[in-house]
Amino acid sequence: MKKLKIFLLTLLMVITILPINTLAEGEDPSSQKPDVSVFATKEQLMDGTFAPNSYGEAPEYIGKIVFGKNNTGAPQEWYILGKDNGITNGEGKVIDNTVIFAASPILTEQVFDLDPVGAAEKTDRSLWSDCDYNGSNITAVYPNHYGASDLRAKLKDIAKDTSHFTTAEQSMMNDTTITTYDYRNNTSYTTTDKLYVLEKGESKTIIEAGSGNNKLLAMSSYWNNGGNFWLRTPTQGSDHAFFAISGDECDLLSIDISINIRPASNLNLTDVLFASAAKEGSSVVLANDAAMYLRFDGSNKGLGSIYYTDDELYFHST
C-alpha cells in the first residue's frame, strides 16, 4: 500500500505539471517541459534557482508565489528569494524556508510615523520594549526609530489580520530577526517579526532583505515599478527615513508622508511539496511569469494540498 501511495503521489505531481507548459508559437505541446518559473520543487524554492546574485540582479528565472491578500482584497504576489540560513529551529538547525519580498504594495498610503510629528524624541519606553539592545538602558529614541514606529506597528497588525492572511497562512510565516541602527543612541538593535521593512543597501539602487541583510535586491530587477515604498533605514536627523523610489533610487522622505509598504517575510517550507501555477482542473497554457501556489503534503488543510487515505488520493487547491 505504501508503494501504491508513493506511485499515486508521483503520478499526481506529473499530472499537475502537464497543464503549465509555456510554449512558443507553433511548438508541439507534447515536446515541452514546464518552465521552472511556473513549476518548482521545494529545493528550487530554497536554492539559487530564484535567488538574486551578489549584485542584487535576478537570475534567469524570476519566481513569484501567491500568498495572502493586499489591502484591496486582491491576491498578493511575492518574489521568491531563496533560503535564509538565519531561520532556525530551537536547536539551532536551519529549517526549510524561503525569503519572500512583496512584488507589489500590500498596503498603500502609510506613514512611517505620525506621533509625535515634529518632536525631537520619543520617551515612552513601551514603544520599543520588544527591541533588543543587548541589555542597554534606552531612555529615548528619535521619531524615525523603526522599532517604535507606526509603520512597524501596522505590519504587526497586518501579519495577524485574517483579511490579509488566513490562519493557515499565518502559521507558515516564520519570525525573522533583523538589525537596524539607532542614531539617537549610536548603537544597533534587533526586532523580530513575521513581516518587516527592508534596509537601504550601500548603493542607492540596492535594498536588502533577510535576517543578515544578505538578500540584495537591485532596482532594475525587483523594484522598477509599483510605486514608492518605505525602507526602515533612518537618517541621522530625527524626522526623515529612507524610501525606495520605484524605477529610480533610494532617497530621504519626511516620516509623516504616506507612501506604500512592500514588506519581506519568510515562509516555512517544511510541509511543502512543490509550487505550481497550474490551478485544479486547468488546461490553460500559462505565461512564464505566472505566480505559483504552494502545494502541501496534506498536513495543512487550510492551503492547497495533496493528501491521501488508504484507498484514495486527493488534490485540493484554494
Side-chain angles (χ1 to χ4, degrees):
M1 181 60 70
K2 183 176 181 181
K3 290 183 179 180
L4 175 61
K5 291 176 183 177
I6 294 173
F7 168 76
L8 290 173
L9 179 58
T10 304
L11 177 62
L12 181 57
M13 291 175 69
V14 172
I15 292 171
T16 307
I17 296 172
L18 292 178
I20 64 177
N21 294 346
T22 54
L23 308 177
E25 185 176 356
E27 288 182 325
D28 178 6
S30 65
S31 67
Q32 302 302 308
K33 294 181 179 180
D35 192 305
V36 71
S37 65
V38 290
F39 173 85
T41 66
K42 178 164 72 171
E43 288 304 316
Q44 289 171 325
L45 297 175
M46 296 189 292
D47 62 19
T49 302
F50 301 117
N53 64 22
S54 59
Y55 300 100
E57 299 164 342
E60 178 181 1
Y61 297 102
I62 295 181
K64 289 192 291 185
I65 62 167
V66 175
F67 188 82
K69 295 180 180 179
N70 64 21
N71 64 309
T72 70
Q76 178 68 45
E77 295 187 0
W78 307 75
Y79 290 114
I80 303 165
L81 305 180
K83 180 184 286 188
D84 185 336
N85 288 323
I87 306 297
T88 61
N89 61 15
E91 300 175 350
K93 181 180 179 181
V94 178
I95 65 172
D96 290 345
N97 75 87
T98 187
V99 181
I100 57 175
F101 167 59
S104 59
I106 196 170
L107 182 67
T108 58
E109 300 298 315
Q110 173 65 40
V111 299
F112 190 102
D113 199 87
L114 266 181
D115 184 23
V117 173
E121 296 179 339
K122 290 184 173 185
T123 56
D124 181 356
R125 298 191 189 194
S126 67
L127 295 174
W128 64 88
S129 60
D130 64 345
C131 299
D132 188 350
Y133 275 91
N134 197 28
S136 297
N137 181 30
I138 304 302
T139 59
V141 299
Y142 284 152
N144 62 0
H145 184 283
Y146 172 68
S149 68
D150 295 338
L151 174 59
R152 181 182 175 223
K154 187 63 178 179
L155 283 176
K156 285 184 173 183
D157 289 341
I158 290 173
K160 60 186 179 183
D161 184 350
T162 54
S163 68
H164 282 280
F165 302 101
T166 65
T167 302
E169 288 171 332
Q170 290 175 18
S171 70
M172 283 191 65
M173 299 166 70
N174 290 317
D175 285 328
T176 301
T177 299
I178 56 173
T179 302
T180 309
Y181 196 74
D182 176 352
Y183 281 105
R184 164 62 174 76
N185 297 288
N186 297 314
T187 188
S188 295
Y189 64 92
T190 62
T191 50
T192 302
D193 298 304
K194 295 184 182 299
L195 291 172
Y196 61 95
V197 174
L198 278 68
E199 179 88 307
K200 173 189 169 297
E202 293 185 8
S203 164
K204 286 188 175 182
T205 58
I206 297 289
I207 57 178
E208 301 171 347
S211 62
N213 285 340
N214 57 353
K215 299 291 185 181
L216 307 186
L217 306 178
M219 179 277 296
S220 57
S221 295
Y222 294 99
W223 45 284
N224 55 6
N225 55 50
N228 304 334
F229 56 97
W230 282 115
L231 303 174
R232 70 176 186 272
T233 312
T235 63
Q236 293 189 37
S238 64
D239 57 1
H240 283 69
F242 279 93
F243 75 117
I245 305 173
S246 180
D248 196 351
E249 63 181 22
C250 301
D251 206 344
L252 306 180
L253 189 66
S254 176
I255 59 174
D256 61 343
I257 301 297
S258 295
I259 57 174
N260 300 331
I261 309 179
R262 285 180 61 181
S265 188
N266 186 285
L267 299 186
N268 189 327
L269 301 183
T270 301
D271 297 325
V272 171
L273 290 173
F274 60 93
S276 169
K279 295 183 179 180
E280 184 178 12
S282 172
S283 60
V284 177
V285 175
L286 301 172
N288 60 10
D289 61 349
M292 296 181 283
Y293 292 80
L294 298 175
R295 305 304 187 190
F296 298 81
D297 62 6
S299 60
N300 195 332
K301 299 299 193 300
L303 298 160
S305 58
I306 293 174
Y307 60 100
Y308 53 79
T309 67
D310 285 341
D311 302 308
E312 296 180 275
L313 190 66
Y314 299 90
F315 173 57
H316 170 72
S317 64
T318 55

